[in-house]
Amino acid sequence: MDLVFLLDGSDGTRTVFPAIRDFVQRVVETLSVDDNKDRVSVVQYSRDPAVQFYLNTYTTKGEILDSVRGLRHKGGRPLYTGAALRYLRDNVFTASAGSRLQEGVPQVLILISGGRSFDSVDEPASALKQLGVLTIAIGNRGSDSRELQKISLDPSYAISVSEFTDLPSVQKQLQSSLEAVGIDATQETPTVPVDTARKDIVFLLDGSDGTRNGFPAMRDFVERVVEKLSVGENKDRVSVVQYSRETEVHFNLNTYTTREDVVDAVRGLRHRGGRPLNTGAALQYVRDNVFTNSSGSRRLQGVPQMLILLTGGRSFDNVDTPASTLKQQGIYLIGIGTRTSDSRELQKISHDPSYALSVSEFTDLPSVDEQLSALMGTVKVVPLKPTVAVVGQPKGMDVVFLLDGSDGTRTVFPAIRDFVQRVVETLSVDDNKDRVSVVQYSRDPAVQFYLNTYTTKGEILDSVRGLRHKGGRPLYTGAALRYLRDNVFTASAGSRLQEGVPQVLILISGGRSFDSVDEPASALKQLGVLTIAIGNRGSDSRELQKISLDPSYAISVSEFTDLPSVQQQLQSSLEAVGIDATQETPTVPVDTARKDIVFLLDGSDGTRNGFPAMRDFVERVVEKLSVGENKDRVSVVQYSRETEVHFNLNTYTTREDVVDAVRGLRHRGGRPLNTGAALQYVRDNVFTNSSGSRRLQGVPQMLILLTGGRSFDNVDTPASTLKQQGIYLIGIGTRTSDSRELQKISHDPSYALSVSEFTDLPSVDEQLSALMGTVKVVPLKPTVAVVGQPKGMDVVFLLDGSDGTRTVFPAIRDFVQRVVETLSVDDNKDRVSVVQYSRDPAVQFYLNTYTTKGEILDSVRGLRHKGGRPLYTGAALRYLRDNVFTASAGSRLQEGVPQVLILISGGRSFDSVDEPASALKQLGVLTIAIGNRGSDSRELQKISLDPSYAISVSEFTDLPSVQQQLQSSLEAVGIDATQETPTVPASIL
C-alpha cells in the first residue's frame, strides 16, 4: 500500500499531539516497508498543510519511525481540512511524490482530526474518492462525525474516540479496515468473471411527471425481476430508489432480508412526480448513499454490484461523470428506456451500449424480461484499464476537441462537426499513436467520448457523425477548460500525459465567454496542454489568444462554414505543436548585461557555525558583479521562522557599499525553518517596483537560496509563483538539506547545487558563475494592450459588511462617497462597482450598472449594512475575480483600462487570502487595502499591490485623514498600470 497520514496539527491538538504521534508509530510498526511493499508519508495541517515526508522520502521502516518520533506539533488555526485534502490530491498522491497509483497499488489516507473544518470538505473528499484513494477518518469528541463520514471511503470507515489518548483502543479496528481496503483494492480490477451466486441490485426508477401513466408497469417489472432472485442476507440483496428533481430511497440493500418483504415493499411503491429529470444527480446519489457499506452494499467483499435504471426521458443534467464514477467503482449498469428516452444517453450510462435496452412504452417491459435475465446471469465487472507505456513506439498525440454547443452555434454546428471529422481523418488512431476525445459545452460541458473510449478511427468517425448540437446558454469557456483539466486530461480518461505523449486541445468557440478564462487557460498550459483556439467573427480574438499556447495558435474565420480554409493552417500548427512538445519549452537567453539578484540566506539555529562561510560566499559573488543603478542590483534577505530584509535592490548603488553591508551581516538565529514563507515574502516584498526590482522593465530576476535544512512549511506554491513571475531560482544546500525540496524550488533540478558543508561553498563558485552567465528565462507572453485614448479606471470597492463594522459602516459609506466625488464618471472615463461582504459577498452594483456619477452617489447613499460573520476575505477576492472583474460585469480589462480594487476591512480573514490575492495581481488588478486597528496589517500588505499600498487608520471614523494618501495611491496605481503593459500611453488619470 501507499499510506498517507494527515494529522491535525492545529492549536486544538497541542496537548494530545504526543498521543497522535505514538499512534502513527504503532501503525507503521505493522507495515511491510523494508521489502518495498508499503510506502508511508506524513502530512500535518492547520490553516495550511506541511509535508513532513513524502512516500518516496524514506525506504526503510527505521527511517520512517525515526522521522515520526521527531515530529513536532505544527500549531496554527483555523482548521482547513478541505484545503488539506485538495493539497494531498495535487501534491502527495502523485507519481513525483512516490505514489504508485498508476501501477495499481492501493492508495490509503488515514486522517486524524480533532475539530470541524472551517472550509468545505465535500468537493476535495469526492475528488480523492474519484482518484481511488481509500480514506479512513479518525476523530474525537471535538470532531464533526458527519464530516468524517463524508470524507471516509464509507461511513463505516469513520472511527471515533472520546480523546486521542484513547487511540490504542481503535488500533485493531483500523487494522481490520486496512485489511478490508486491501481486499477492495485487489477486487477493483478483477480480470475474470466474478461469482454470481449473490448480487447487490439497485433499481433506479424515473418518477418524474412524464412517467405517471407508465409507473404501474415499472413497478410490476421490478416485482417480476425480484421474484426470480434468491433474496437473503447472504444471498441477493435489493434496493429501490425513485427520482425526478430529487432522489428518494424507498428501501436500502440491508432493509429487507426475505423475498416476500421486498415484493411487499415494491407493491406499495407510489409515483413520486416532479420535474425536471436529473438522472446525473440520481446516479451520483446512489453512488454516494446506496452503494455503501452502511446501506448494505457488499462491494468491499467482492459481491457484484448492479444498477438497473428505468427512465422515460432525457436527463436535464449531465450524466457523463456520475456514470463514469459508478463504472470506476465496478458497478454494473443496465439502462432501460422508452421511445421518449435519449438512446445515446442510455448507452453512455450503461456498462456497454449493448446493455442499453429499449421498449416503446413501459407497458412493453415484459418483452425485455428474458434479455435482462441473460445479462444478469453473466455479470462481468469491467476492470480499470491500466496505463501501460509502450517502450520504443512513436507516441503520437492525445487530441481533445472542445466544441461550442451553445444556442449561438445551432445553425453552423454541422460545419463544426464536418471539420472535426476531416481532422480525425488525418490522425493515426488504429496503430494507437493518436487518441481522440470530443467534449461539447455551453453553460456546462458534456463529454461525447473520452480518449480511451474508442480505439479505432472508424468508431471515432461514427461517433462524430452522430454528434447532436447540445444547446444552452450562456457560454462558460473558463469552466469548460477547468473541467477538461480535471476530468479529461487524466490517466483514468485515457490521457497519456504521464508517459510524455503530447496533449493537444482544439477549441472551436463562436462567442465571448461569460466567465474568466485566465486561470483555467494558465492551468492547462502549466499541465503541458498545447491549445489551438479557433473562432469566428462572434468570438473574442484576445480571449482566444489568451487561451492558446501562443497568440499565433489562435486561428480565425469569418463564419464556421469557412473552416475548410484553415485546415492546412491547423495541420501546420499540429505539426509545430508536436515539435514544440518534444522540445519542452525552449528557453531563450536574455540580455545579461544587468540583473536583479536577491540572496536568501538560512539564518536558523542550524546554520550558526556555517554562517560566516555563507557571508563570504555572497561577498565573492558580489565581487564579480558590475553593481550600479543601471547595472546589477543586489539584495540580501535572511530568514528562519520570520524573514528579515538586510537591504533592498535599490538600497546601494556601488559594489563597495554592497560588500560593506554583506561583511556586516550577523546571524539571525531562530527556528523552525520556514522556507516557503520566506519565498513568499521575497516575492511580495522584495521583487517589487518599490524595492528596486526592474522586472517590469525586462531585467532578469534571480534568487539565490542558501539553506542548511528541510523546510518546516510547504515550499511548492511559493516556489511555483516565483517561477510564474519569471524569477530564476538557484538553490544551494548542504548534506542536512532536503535535496528533493531544493530541486522543487530551483528553476530546474540541475540548478540545485550541493556541498557537504557551507565551508565547501568555494567548490561551487564556478558552477554558479556559469549558471548566472547564461540566464535563460521562459518569458510569459505579454498581453498587448490597444493603444488609444486614455480611458480612466475601473474602480471596485470591497467593503467589510460583517457584524464587526455595524457601528462604523456610515463612516465607510461616507468615505466611498467622497472618493466617488473625485472620479470622472460622466464622460465614461471611470466606472465604479461596490461589493459588500462578510461570510459571502453581495454585489451592490456592477461596473456597468450606472453611467452617471449622480446614480452612483444615490446608490452609495442608500447602502445598508449587510451583517453576518465570520469574515471570508479570500472568498470575496476570488468572487471579484470571477464575477466582477469580467467583461460581462463591465470591466474594461481587455481594453487595457487599469483595474483598481479598494478594500476596506476591519478584521482578520477566517480563510486564506494568499491564492486569491495572487490571482488578482496576476490578472492585473491593482489593489489598495485600508484597515483599522482590528485588521491584520500583514494580511492587508499581502493583498495590496505592494505593501506601501496598505493604508491603516485607528478607527474607520478617521478615514477622511487618509483620503489624500488614497488619492496619491490611485495616481501611482495609474502610473504603475501603464508600466505593467508598456504599450499603453502613460497619461491615464
Side-chain angles (χ1 to χ4, degrees):
M1 286 183 289
D2 290 339
L3 181 58
V4 178
F5 290 90
L6 179 60
L7 310 179
D8 176 349
S10 67
D11 291 347
T13 60
R14 190 173 304 279
T15 56
V16 293
F17 193 74
I20 295 173
R21 188 174 55 212
D22 293 347
F23 182 71
V24 173
Q25 194 177 325
R26 284 194 301 274
V27 175
V28 171
E29 288 282 7
T30 67
L31 301 176
S32 300
V33 179
D34 295 323
D35 54 4
N36 198 29
K37 282 188 184 171
D38 299 326
R39 292 184 182 180
V40 180
S41 168
V42 174
V43 181
Q44 206 179 148
Y45 80 106
S46 52
R47 172 181 284 275
D48 47 34
V51 177
Q52 310 294 327
F53 54 88
Y54 290 96
L55 289 163
N56 53 3
T57 304
Y58 300 122
T59 55
T60 69
K61 189 185 289 184
E63 289 174 319
I64 293 170
L65 290 171
D66 285 347
S67 186
V68 170
R69 289 183 195 109
L71 286 179
R72 288 181 296 177
H73 187 258
K74 179 182 188 294
R77 61 193 167 98
L79 193 65
Y80 285 125
T81 308
L85 295 173
R86 188 176 294 108
Y87 181 88
L88 294 185
R89 185 196 67 183
D90 295 340
N91 299 280
V92 180
F93 287 109
T94 61
S96 60
S99 165
R100 295 169 292 175
L101 175 65
Q102 300 293 335
E103 302 164 39
V105 176
Q107 306 293 291
V108 180
L109 169 63
I110 298 175
L111 165 69
I112 303 181
S113 176
R116 185 175 191 171
S117 178
F118 266 70
D119 62 349
S120 172
V121 301
D122 297 357
E123 183 275 329
S126 173
L128 281 174
K129 289 175 187 174
Q130 284 182 37
L131 191 64
V133 177
L134 313 164
T135 304
I136 300 166
I138 305 175
N140 63 5
R141 61 184 174 192
S143 311
D144 180 337
S145 60
R146 292 177 60 85
E147 182 175 274
L148 295 182
Q149 288 173 7
K150 271 189 193 173
I151 293 169
S152 300
L153 165 70
D154 185 85
S156 62
Y157 287 101
I159 301 172
S160 189
V161 291
S162 178
E163 301 289 347
F164 284 134
T165 47
D166 300 326
L167 280 168
S169 67
V170 297
Q171 187 159 354
K172 183 168 271 298
Q173 188 180 349
L174 174 66
Q175 212 62 36
S176 303
S177 296
L178 282 175
E179 287 163 11
V181 160
I183 294 165
D184 182 57
T186 62
Q187 292 170 348
E188 282 287 333
T189 56
T191 54
V192 293
V194 295
D195 176 20
T196 57
R198 52 184 186 160
K199 295 181 286 288
D200 291 338
I201 303 170
V202 178
F203 292 90
L204 180 59
L205 309 180
D206 174 353
S208 67
D209 291 347
T211 61
R212 193 171 302 280
N213 295 333
F215 194 75
M218 293 164 72
R219 190 171 54 210
D220 294 345
F221 177 74
V222 174
E223 186 179 333
R224 286 195 307 276
V225 175
V226 172
E227 288 287 5
K228 296 175 186 172
L229 299 176
S230 177
V231 178
E233 190 171 352
N234 293 311
K235 297 180 181 177
D236 295 329
R237 293 184 182 180
V238 180
S239 167
V240 174
V241 182
Q242 194 180 161
Y243 79 103
S244 54
R245 173 186 285 275
E246 307 294 338
T247 308
E248 178 190 356
V249 177
H250 287 295
F251 53 89
N252 277 312
L253 290 163
N254 54 4
T255 304
Y256 301 118
T257 55
T258 69
R259 184 193 296 157
E260 292 70 25
D261 287 343
V262 173
V263 168
D264 285 347
V266 170
R267 287 179 181 151
L269 292 177
R270 293 293 171 265
H271 187 258
R272 192 174 188 282
R275 59 195 168 103
L277 188 66
N278 288 331
T279 308
L283 293 171
Q284 189 68 34
Y285 184 90
V286 294
R287 174 186 174 276
D288 293 341
N289 298 280
V290 181
F291 286 109
T292 62
N293 192 47
S294 58
S295 295
S297 166
R298 295 166 293 177
R299 184 172 70 88
L300 301 183
Q301 298 163 48
V303 175
Q305 308 289 291
M306 295 187 66
L307 174 63
I308 300 173
L309 167 70
L310 283 87
T311 180
R314 185 177 190 172
S315 179
F316 196 75
D317 62 353
N318 179 29
V319 300
D320 296 355
T321 302
S324 174
T325 53
L326 280 166
K327 291 173 189 174
Q328 283 176 34
Q329 274 204 344
I331 295 160
Y332 192 83
L333 289 90
I334 298 173
I336 305 175
T338 65
R339 63 183 174 194
T340 53
S341 308
D342 181 337
S343 60
R344 290 179 59 81
E345 182 177 274
L346 219 55
Q347 288 172 7
K348 273 189 194 172
I349 293 170
S350 299
H351 168 67
D352 185 89
S354 62
Y355 296 100
L357 310 181
S358 185
V359 292
S360 179
E361 304 286 347
F362 283 126
T363 48
D364 299 326
L365 279 168
S367 66
V368 295
D369 282 8
E370 197 169 323
Q371 206 174 345
L372 177 67
S373 293
L375 291 175
M376 291 174 68
T378 57
V379 177
K380 292 179 183 176
V381 180
V382 181
L384 293 177
K385 306 277 194 305
T387 304
V388 181
V390 181
V391 180
Q393 292 299 313
K395 291 181 175 177
M397 290 183 285
D398 293 338
V399 182
V400 177
F401 291 90
L402 178 60
L403 310 179
D404 176 350
S406 66
D407 292 347
T409 61
R410 190 173 304 279
T411 56
V412 294
F413 194 73
I416 295 174
R417 187 175 55 213
D418 293 346
F419 181 72
V420 173
Q421 193 176 325
R422 284 193 303 275
V423 176
V424 171
E425 288 283 8
T426 68
L427 300 177
S428 300
V429 179
D430 296 322
D431 55 2
N432 196 30
K433 282 187 185 173
D434 300 326
R435 292 184 181 180
V436 180
S437 168
V438 174
V439 181
Q440 205 179 148
Y441 80 105
S442 52
R443 173 181 286 276
D444 47 35
V447 177
Q448 310 294 328
F449 53 89
Y450 291 97
L451 288 163
N452 54 3
T453 303
Y454 301 122
T455 55
T456 70
K457 189 185 289 185
E459 290 173 318
I460 293 170
L461 289 173
D462 285 346
S463 185
V464 170
R465 287 183 196 110
L467 286 179
R468 287 182 298 175
H469 186 257
K470 180 182 186 295
R473 60 195 168 98
L475 193 65
Y476 286 125
T477 308
L481 295 173
R482 190 176 292 109
Y483 180 88
L484 294 185
R485 185 196 66 185
D486 296 339
N487 299 280
V488 179
F489 287 109
T490 62
S492 60
S495 165
R496 296 169 293 174
L497 174 67
Q498 300 294 335
E499 302 164 40
V501 175
Q503 307 292 292
V504 180
L505 169 62
I506 300 173
L507 166 69
I508 303 180
S509 175
R512 188 174 193 171
S513 178
F514 267 69
D515 62 350
S516 172
V517 301
D518 297 357
E519 184 275 329
S522 172
L524 281 174
K525 289 174 187 174
Q526 285 179 37
L527 191 64
V529 177
L530 313 165
T531 303
I532 300 167
I534 305 175
N536 64 4
R537 63 184 174 193
S539 311
D540 180 337
S541 60
R542 292 175 62 82
E543 182 175 274
L544 295 182
Q545 289 174 7
K546 273 190 189 173
I547 294 169
S548 300
L549 165 69
D550 185 88
S552 62
Y553 288 105
I555 301 172
S556 188
V557 291
S558 178
E559 301 289 347
F560 284 135
T561 48
D562 300 327
L563 281 168
S565 67
V566 297
Q567 186 160 355
Q568 188 56 48
Q569 190 179 349
L570 174 66
Q571 212 62 36
S572 303
S573 297
L574 280 174
E575 288 163 11
V577 159
I579 294 163
D580 185 60
T582 61
Q583 293 175 342
E584 291 300 313
T585 45
T587 52
V588 181
V590 298
D591 175 22
T592 56
R594 52 185 186 159
K595 295 181 285 288
D596 292 339
I597 304 169
V598 177
F599 291 90
L600 180 59
L601 310 180
D602 173 353
S604 65
D605 291 348
T607 62
R608 191 172 304 280
N609 295 334
F611 194 75
M614 292 164 72
R615 189 172 54 210
D616 294 345
F617 177 74
V618 174
E619 186 181 334
R620 285 195 308 275
V621 175
V622 172
E623 287 286 6
K624 296 175 186 172
L625 299 176
S626 177
V627 178
E629 191 170 354
N630 294 311
K631 296 181 181 176
D632 296 328
R633 294 185 182 180
V634 179
S635 167
V636 173
V637 181
Q638 193 180 162
Y639 78 103
S640 53
R641 172 186 286 275
E642 306 295 337
T643 308
E644 178 189 354
V645 177
H646 287 294
F647 52 90
N648 277 313
L649 290 163
N650 54 3
T651 305
Y652 301 118
T653 56
T654 69
R655 184 193 297 161
E656 292 69 25
D657 288 344
V658 173
V659 168
D660 284 348
V662 169
R663 286 178 181 152
L665 292 177
R666 293 294 172 262
H667 187 258
R668 191 174 189 281
R671 61 195 166 102
L673 188 66
N674 288 332
T675 308
L679 293 171
Q680 188 69 35
Y681 184 90
V682 294
R683 175 186 174 276
D684 293 341
N685 299 279
V686 181
F687 286 108
T688 62
N689 192 47
S690 59
S691 296
S693 165
R694 296 166 292 177
R695 184 172 68 87
L696 301 182
Q697 298 164 46
V699 175
Q701 309 289 290
M702 296 186 65
L703 174 63
I704 300 173
L705 166 70
L706 283 88
T707 180
R710 185 174 193 171
S711 179
F712 197 74
D713 63 352
N714 179 29
V715 301
D716 297 356
T717 303
S720 173
T721 53
L722 280 166
K723 291 173 188 174
Q724 282 174 36
Q725 274 203 346
I727 294 161
Y728 190 84
L729 289 90
I730 298 172
I732 305 175
T734 65
R735 64 183 174 195
T736 54
S737 308
D738 181 335
S739 60
R740 290 180 59 83
E741 181 176 272
L742 218 55
Q743 289 173 5
K744 273 190 191 174
I745 292 169
S746 298
H747 170 67
D748 184 89
S750 62
Y751 296 101
L753 310 181
S754 186
V755 291
S756 179
E757 303 286 347
F758 283 126
T759 49
D760 299 325
L761 279 168
S763 66
V764 295
D765 282 8
E766 197 169 322
Q767 206 173 344
L768 177 66
S769 292
L771 291 176
M772 290 174 68
T774 56
V775 177
K776 296 176 182 178
V777 179
V778 182
L780 296 176
K781 301 291 187 294
T783 304
V784 180
V786 179
V787 178
Q789 291 304 309
K791 290 186 178 175
M793 291 183 288
D794 292 338
V795 182
V796 178
F797 292 90
L798 179 60
L799 311 179
D800 175 348
S802 67
D803 291 346
T805 60
R806 190 173 304 280
T807 55
V808 293
F809 193 74
I812 294 174
R813 187 175 54 212
D814 292 347
F815 181 72
V816 173
Q817 194 177 325
R818 285 193 303 275
V819 175
V820 171
E821 289 282 9
T822 68
L823 300 176
S824 299
V825 178
D826 294 323
D827 54 3
N828 196 30
K829 281 189 181 171
D830 299 327
R831 293 184 182 179
V832 180
S833 168
V834 173
V835 182
Q836 205 180 148
Y837 80 105
S838 52
R839 173 181 285 275
D840 48 31
V843 177
Q844 310 293 328
F845 53 89
Y846 289 98
L847 288 163
N848 54 3
T849 304
Y850 301 122
T851 56
T852 70
K853 189 184 289 184
E855 293 172 306
I856 293 171
L857 289 173
D858 285 346
S859 184
V860 170
R861 289 184 195 108
L863 286 178
R864 286 183 299 175
H865 186 257
K866 180 182 187 293
R869 60 193 168 101
L871 193 65
Y872 285 129
T873 308
L877 295 173
R878 190 176 291 108
Y879 180 88
L880 294 185
R881 185 196 65 184
D882 295 339
N883 299 280
V884 179
F885 288 108
T886 61
S888 58
S891 165
R892 296 168 293 174
L893 175 66
Q894 301 293 337
E895 301 162 44
V897 174
Q899 307 292 290
V900 179
L901 169 61
I902 299 173
L903 166 68
I904 303 181
S905 175
R908 186 176 190 172
S909 179
F910 267 70
D911 62 347
S912 172
V913 301
D914 295 3
E915 183 275 330
S918 173
L920 281 174
K921 289 174 188 174
Q922 284 180 35
L923 191 64
V925 177
L926 314 164
T927 304
I928 300 166
I930 305 175
N932 64 4
R933 62 184 175 192
S935 310
D936 180 340
S937 60
R938 291 176 61 85
E939 185 177 88
L940 294 183
Q941 288 174 6
K942 273 189 192 173
I943 294 169
S944 300
L945 166 70
D946 186 88
S948 63
Y949 289 105
I951 300 172
S952 188
V953 290
S954 179
E955 300 289 345
F956 284 134
T957 48
D958 300 327
L959 281 168
S961 66
V962 296
Q963 187 160 353
Q964 187 56 49
Q965 189 180 349
L966 174 66
Q967 211 63 36
S968 304
S969 295
L970 280 174
E971 288 164 11
V973 160
I975 294 162
D976 186 61
T978 65
Q979 293 171 342
E980 283 285 335
T981 52
T983 54
V984 181
S987 174
I988 284 186
L989 293 176

